[in-house]
């Protein structure tokens, strides 16, 4: 919607887009919100949203302060020997959560998810589109197995870094990789390692 | 501390004990708080705390509105064939979380854990004492393996019941048991099933 008065500066436009995006993702979910609608709510041209952020996914990441970009994580999981996918996933989650700033941002997300239904819905759709669908396609793994593997690494992060239950909270990363990687590999491969 | 004036009624005393307990567990943690100190803060006799609640564990459960009593869950996991422990644990977590009231109470706990360091500390100590130590002793399983198994079922509950990621959110309980029970059994037994 066009507004009267002077044209807003870049910083102001960017801020207005982020505020509009948070509102719209909350009301419509990730799937229901469009760049066009976000632009309209912010009173700017859709081209400006693309110019600042690129895709809807990137608008979401900026608006919700998502600490990592899933698009950049997927290749780190997919690239490399198939029989080491489990290892790469466990190493990646430990590395991402080890960073205190990332951890704080994830905690803020977890708080909003346990407090607001709207936050749950938009985050769920985002996780499905940006992470699970891409991985399921790239690895050719049934979704149920992939989401259960996700449950394992999310629970691992929660117990190690948030609740801090010992000895998982203080264990060596290598010991955790050794213990958990075969489980993720089992979910991905659909069977136990032959040994 | 004795107070002047009329003696409080039962309901009032009970309430004062719960308020004092929440404060004390928050400040001192689960391990640091004692029934004696809780009674002093509530201005009642320690015997009255025992009379109303029994053990410190039960005071904690009542004060924090913990939706299940770990002491009653442990035998349901331990009793029965050893090779079906994994199955029993997965069935139990699905059953407990299936109940909407229990789920709401767990969500409230998760919210407080992601918001307050004091909540994290007291809940962590409680989980360790009331659940993990008992299970580790009863099943003779190393703690690291047990806490990683706990991470799997906590993550499962979070992804299925809170975030609601499909297809895990809508999958049949039996399919989930079939998929996840071998993983829990692997953590408990320390090796893959021979098949």
């Amino acid at each position: 919607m066009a507004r009267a008065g002077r044209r807003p500066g870049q910083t102001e436009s960017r801020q207005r887009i982020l505020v509009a995006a948070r509102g719209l993702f909350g009301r419509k979910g990730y799937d229901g919100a469009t760049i066009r609608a976000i632009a309209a709510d912010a009173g700017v041209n859709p081209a400006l949203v693309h110019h600042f952020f690129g895709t809807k996914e990137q608008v979401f990441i900026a608006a919700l302060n998502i600490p990592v970009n899933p698009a950049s994580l997927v290749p780190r999981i997919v690239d490399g020997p198939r029989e080491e996918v489990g290892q790469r996933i466990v190493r990646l989650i430990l590395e991402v959560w080890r960073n205190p700033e990332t951890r704080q941002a994830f905690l803020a997300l977890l708080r909003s998810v346990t407090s607001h239904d709207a936050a749950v819905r938009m985050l769920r759709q985002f996780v499905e589109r940006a992470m699970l669908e891409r991985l399921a396609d790239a690895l050719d793994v049934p979704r149920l197995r992939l989401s259960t593997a996700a449950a394992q690494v999310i629970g691992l992060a929660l117990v190690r870094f948030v609740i801090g239950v010992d000895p998982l909270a203080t264990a060596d990363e290598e010991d955790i990789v050794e213990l958990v990687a075969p489980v993720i590999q089992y979910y991905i491969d659909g069977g136990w390692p032959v040994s």
Side-chain angles (χ1 to χ4, degrees), chain A:
Chain A
M1 211 174 305
R3 301 193 182 192
R6 69 177 177 82
R7 285 179 60 194
Q10 294 243 335
T11 313
E12 196 188 327
S13 296
R14 206 175 178 284
Q15 271 314 110
R16 272 160 55 174
I17 292 168
L18 292 176
V19 170
R22 273 191 287 273
L24 221 75
F25 283 125
R27 293 194 304 279
K28 305 270 184 185
Y30 180 73
D31 291 345
T34 61
I35 287 205
R36 179 169 298 274
I38 292 168
D41 267 19
V44 304
N45 193 299
L48 194 66
V49 181
H50 285 294
H51 168 72
F52 279 140
F53 299 100
T55 61
K56 179 166 91 171
E57 184 172 319
Q58 289 164 307
V59 178
F60 188 86
I61 289 170
L64 270 88
N65 196 23
I66 308 266
V68 290
N69 185 343
S72 73
L73 297 185
V74 169
R76 294 191 48 194
I77 291 172
V78 172
D79 295 349
R82 169 81 180 200
E83 66 274 18
E84 292 170 8
V85 171
Q87 227 183 86
R88 289 197 295 275
I89 290 178
V90 178
R91 284 189 202 284
L92 189 59
I93 194 108
L94 292 174
E95 178 194 315
V96 164
W97 276 79
R98 205 195 301 132
N99 179 323
E101 280 174 39
T102 315
R103 200 152 73 217
Q104 284 310 316
F106 271 126
L107 275 183
L109 278 178
L110 201 56
R111 259 197 305 279
S112 71
V113 160
T114 52
S115 310
H116 312 292
D117 285 348
V120 174
R121 184 178 59 160
M122 66 183 171
L123 198 70
R124 172 177 58 225
Q125 291 174 349
F126 176 74
V127 168
E128 287 176 356
R129 300 292 162 269
M131 204 75 206
L132 292 180
E133 287 180 8
R134 280 181 187 152
L135 279 179
D137 288 350
L139 296 170
D140 192 21
V141 175
R143 297 272 190 92
L144 180 61
R145 291 185 156 271
L146 202 60
S147 50
T148 313
Q152 167 71 86
V153 293
I154 290 170
L156 177 66
L158 195 67
V159 173
R160 178 171 168 91
F161 295 105
V162 183
I163 312 184
V165 173
D166 260 327
L168 194 52
T170 50
D172 265 12
E173 289 205 355
E174 281 311 303
D175 291 340
I176 296 177
V177 171
E178 197 185 320
L179 188 61
V180 182
V183 167
I184 305 301
Q185 197 71 37
Y186 151 79
Y187 286 130
I188 301 285
D189 287 344
W192 300 108
V194 183
S195 65

